[in-house]
Amino acid sequence: MEIRFYEKDKLLVFKISEEIDDYSVQKMRRSADYEIERYMPKKVIFDFDSVTFMDSAGIGFIIGRYKFANMLGAKLEVTNLTPSVQKIFDMSGILKLIPVTDLQESALR
Amino acid sequence: MKEHIDNEMNLEFISKSSNESFARITIAAFAAQLDPTIEELADIKTAVSEAVTNCIIHAYENRIGIVKMSAKLKENEVIIEISDHGKGIENIEMAKEPLYTTKPNLERSGMGFTIMESFMDNVEIESVVGLGTKITMSKKIKKEDEEEKNVEEMDLLQKIN
Ligand SMILES: Nc1ncnc2c1ncn2[C@@H]1O[C@H](COP(=O)(O)OP(=O)(O)OP(=O)(O)O)[C@@H](O)[C@H]1O
Ligand SMILES: [Mg+2]
């Protein structure tokens, strides 16, 4: 998971590049919560562009981070959902709660 | 009558979460013999990941136990069995409900069975409390060119009639 913080916008971006399952989320969860607490961003975005696999662990992971970010006053969004990630998120209904955003990281720099 | 089996495999591993990807990669390599599309293969991998994860986190909780996965290829169908000797499921109907989970504190979403049922053609759950659980699921691989051929044949038939 690659982490980028954009000071000006107080935006924290996590670019996930691992397969998302019960094994990988254990580490990602610790690392994401640590960074959210450290930067206290206004907004957190999870970028799924490089995700080649995700099972239901991804739903729990995103809901968990959504709650954690909210508790610290930050918004959470997701971006670049691949078709297989989209399929799983659609099934769970969490996209009614969590906005899918268009992210052009190059525009932020 | 003896059933005709095209291919068969058996695998046993201990209930460590690092084996979830091992199980997925193995089933993908095995099912690849049926020449599935990328999407079909992704569906099978996801369903297997769900079933194996359930054995690890629900059946054995924090203990180490054995998870078994076996698969058969029969004509254009893959049939997969995933079983454990863990704690079993008390109420199968309830467990199948979307969003039902006994482990919300572990950030589970209760979508595992829903995903298995929607990604595979058929899913059967057998479970005995205290003895374990067996999931049997199957999926037919639809050959693209065969579908195309059928459409062509239909067109031809219509022209003739
Ligand atoms: N192999 C198993 N042994 C014992 N209990 C199981 C097993 N598989 C499933 N269960 C029970 O069925 C419930 C529903 O399973 P399901 O996979 O749908 O959701 P989950 O595992 O709780 O969450 P998710 O899969 O979304 O992370 C589980 O919470 C658990 O109580
Ligand atoms: Mg599950």
Side-chain angles (χ1 to χ4, degrees), chain A residues 56, chain B residues 50 54 58 108 112:
Chain A
S56 65
Chain B
E50 294 300 344
N54 280 351
H58 300 298
R108 306 311 308 184

Side-chain angles (χ1 to χ4, degrees), chain B residues 10 18 26-27 41 50 66 78-79 86 93-94 115 146 151:
Chain B
N10 268 292
S18 52
T26 306
I27 197 64
L41 211 50
E50 294 300 344
I66 300 285
V78 55
I79 304 142
E93 281 316 304
M94 214 187 236
I115 290 174
E146 244 167 42
V151 172

Side-chain angles (χ1 to χ4, degrees), chain B residues 49-112:
Chain B
S49 198
E50 294 300 344
V52 168
T53 303
N54 280 351
C55 301
I56 295 170
I57 63 178
H58 300 298
Y60 295 119
E61 296 184 302
N62 299 318
R63 302 189 285 125
I64 289 293
I66 300 285
V67 180
K68 287 187 189 162
M69 175 169 85
S70 69
K72 285 178 191 171
L73 306 181
K74 259 163 76 179
E75 287 168 33
N76 67 333
E77 193 174 23
V78 55
I79 304 142
I80 305 165
E81 257 181 44
I82 290 167
S83 61
D84 62 66
H85 293 294
K87 69 171 190 178
I89 302 174
E90 252 162 60
N91 187 333
I92 294 177
E93 281 316 304
M94 214 187 236
K96 279 162 51 177
E97 286 290 316
L99 306 177
Y100 175 83
T101 181
T102 49
K103 291 221 175 345
N105 50 330
L106 286 187
E107 297 193 346
R108 306 311 308 184
S109 60
M111 290 302 291

Side-chain angles (χ1 to χ4, degrees), chain A residues 19-23 25-26 29 33 53-57 59-61 63-65 84 87-88 91-92, chain B residues 17-18 20-21 24 39 43 45-46 49-50 53 56-57 99 106-109 111-112 114-115 118-119:
Chain A
E19 300 202 335
I20 306 177
D21 65 7
D22 157 60
Y23 176 68
V25 295
Q26 296 174 27
R29 190 182 291 144
D33 288 355
F53 177 86
M54 183 179 92
D55 67 17
S56 65
I59 305 167
F61 172 73
I63 295 176
R65 304 298 68 68
S84 57
K87 205 160 144 186
I88 298 225
M91 222 175 271
S92 71
Chain B
S17 60
S18 52
E20 290 153 12
S21 65
R24 290 200 294 274
E39 194 182 354
D43 288 352
K45 281 172 81 175
T46 312
S49 198
E50 294 300 344
T53 303
I56 295 170
I57 63 178
L99 306 177
L106 286 187
E107 297 193 346
R108 306 311 308 184
S109 60
M111 290 302 291
T114 309
I115 290 174
S118 86
F119 285 15

Side-chain angles (χ1 to χ4, degrees), chain B residues 138-153:
Chain B
S138 61
K139 188 177 181 71
K140 280 212 165 75
I141 303 303
K142 298 172 187 77
K143 288 266 157 44
E144 267 173 310
D145 28 292
E146 244 167 42
E147 264 166 41
E148 263 166 41
K149 217 167 71 193
N150 285 343
V151 172
E152 272 165 29
E153 268 168 17

Side-chain angles (χ1 to χ4, degrees), chain A residues 5-70:
Chain A
F5 183 62
Y6 299 94
E7 185 65 59
K8 187 163 64 78
D9 303 290
K10 293 240 169 282
L11 167 66
L12 184 59
V13 180
F14 294 99
K15 190 171 164 61
I16 307 174
S17 51
E18 37 275 88
E19 300 202 335
I20 306 177
D21 65 7
D22 157 60
Y23 176 68
S24 67
V25 295
Q26 296 174 27
K27 217 168 111 198
M28 281 167 29
R29 190 182 291 144
R30 257 178 280 133
S31 146
D33 288 355
Y34 172 80
E35 301 294 344
I36 294 170
E37 231 179 327
R38 186 155 81 104
Y39 286 112
M40 292 302 261
K42 272 201 195 125
K43 195 192 272 182
V44 176
I45 297 181
F46 282 93
D47 185 345
F48 287 82
D49 193 44
S50 317
V51 174
T52 54
F53 177 86
M54 183 179 92
D55 67 17
S56 65
I59 305 167
F61 172 73
I62 287 298
I63 295 176
R65 304 298 68 68
Y66 170 82
K67 288 184 184 156
F68 188 72
N70 264 359

